[in-house]
Amino acid sequence: MTILLAGCGDLGTEAGLRFAALGHRVVGWRRTPGKLPAAIEGVAADLSAPGLPSVPADTTVVVIAVAADSPTEEAYRAAYLGGVANVLDALERDGVRPARVLFVSSTAVYGDAGGGWVDESTPTAPGGFSGRILVEAEELLRTRLAGTGTAPVSLRLGGIYGPGRTRLIDQVRSGAAVIPQEVRYTNRIHRDDAAAAVVHLATMAAEPGPIYVGVDDDPADLGSVLSFLATHIGLPEPAVGDAGPPRGGNKRCSNHLLRGSGMEFEFPSFREGYREVLTGSGVRHP
């Protein structure tokens, strides 16, 4: 197959290398294509701007994996809404009808659930502009592709950690980590499993559903994660106190649908994943 990666940062590059290892042709659009490994055909493109490059005529799957330049509403709209619209415009302009367009979204679309479980059937209730914009982008994808024969797929990822993504580790090492006074659930996925999920949904033989939640098996409470990290780094357990508002809301995301589709996790919980990160294994792609 020919895979077009519209957005080829760390996650997109890792997915691209995995597509290439399966024997697929991979074309990667990004502003700095020279940073891409040789297995990915890099093409200069600014996804937030109209007039994107030509889409390969034999493109089978498009993966839209963009990131905002800054944590502002304007930047999010340009990256996610603009990115989706511009990619779909390019497909229409060039008359290319891929089998699937996969959009990398986020569990931020759910907001806070008071510690309850959420899955693909849970109504979206974003608590901030990032989640609201992602909901709009998902809806735009579904609306624009309706009746075209191209299947829209939204992969709602939890917090990505992995090589070079060490926010919690850095907090523990610096002494800034605080264990919340009440149980606060968190949802995450290792970068490698996130890339594996992209490849799995893009290439699976069965027709994918419209939405998948991409998290590991263990929506662990933040205190358990911080205690685990402190123990493995060899530092005292962080103090219990006011940890501030919950990052991403207090909810437990279920990966049952993704698991049921045949996806297998290399890092089924934060324990396996963070052990790997702490050894210094893997690289964050530039």
Side-chain angles (χ1 to χ4, degrees):
M1 296 193 296
T2 294
I3 311 291
L4 173 59
L5 297 174
C8 220
D10 179 43
L11 175 60
T13 299
E14 180 62 28
L17 290 171
R18 291 167 182 253
F19 280 123
L22 293 174
H24 303 301
R25 177 193 177 198
V26 185
V27 177
W29 284 355
R30 64 177 283 172
R31 292 173 184 161
T32 52
K35 293 183 178 180
L36 292 173
I40 301 174
E41 299 174 29
V43 178
D46 179 355
L47 296 173
S48 65
L52 291 173
S54 296
V55 179
D58 61 347
T59 297
T60 311
V61 173
V62 177
V63 176
I64 305 176
V66 294
D69 290 335
S70 65
T72 64
E73 183 165 355
E74 183 182 11
Y76 266 72
R77 286 197 174 278
Y80 293 100
L81 276 171
V84 169
N86 292 331
V87 170
L88 295 177
D89 286 348
L91 291 172
E92 288 184 6
R93 177 199 66 202
D94 296 342
V96 178
R97 288 281 175 256
R100 298 168 190 173
V101 175
L102 188 150
F103 172 60
V104 177
S105 185
S106 165
T107 54
V109 301
Y110 295 114
D112 191 289
W117 284 94
V118 302
D119 62 16
E120 292 78 5
S121 67
T122 305
T124 57
F129 70 80
S130 61
R132 289 196 298 273
I133 290 168
L134 287 165
V135 170
E136 288 181 51
E138 288 187 15
E139 183 57 33
L140 177 64
L141 185 74
R142 283 192 292 272
T143 302
R144 290 275 302 266
L145 292 179
T148 65
T150 297
V153 183
S154 293
L155 174 60
R156 296 171 174 172
L157 294 177
I160 302 175
Y161 71 104
R165 297 173 182 259
T166 55
R167 181 180 59 87
L168 289 185
I169 294 172
D170 296 341
Q171 286 182 1
V172 171
R173 283 187 167 140
S174 70
V178 177
I179 294 177
Q181 293 170 331
E182 297 180 354
V183 171
R184 181 183 299 173
Y185 292 104
T186 57
N187 303 271
R188 64 188 50 76
I189 186 168
H190 191 284
R191 189 275 316 270
D192 291 359
D193 282 330
V198 168
V199 174
H200 169 69
L201 294 174
T203 59
M204 62 189 279
E207 184 74 11
I211 300 168
Y212 289 88
V213 173
V215 294
D216 65 21
D217 296 344
D218 186 5
D221 73 277
L222 180 57
S224 297
V225 179
L226 294 175
S227 297
F228 173 90
L229 290 174
T231 298
H232 282 74
I233 293 170
L235 292 172
E237 183 173 287
V240 176
D242 181 6
R247 182 184 172 96
N250 184 18
K251 56 182 176 281
R252 286 178 281 178
C253 297
S254 169
N255 68 6
H256 287 174
L257 186 64
L258 184 60
R259 274 279 193 191
S261 72
M263 167 73 187
E264 295 183 2
F265 285 76
E266 184 178 357
F267 305 104
S269 82
F270 71 89
R271 298 170 187 85
E272 296 86 359
Y274 274 121
R275 283 192 193 106
E276 182 84 357
V277 175
L278 289 169
T279 67
S281 299
V283 230
R284 183 164 183 173
H285 304 292

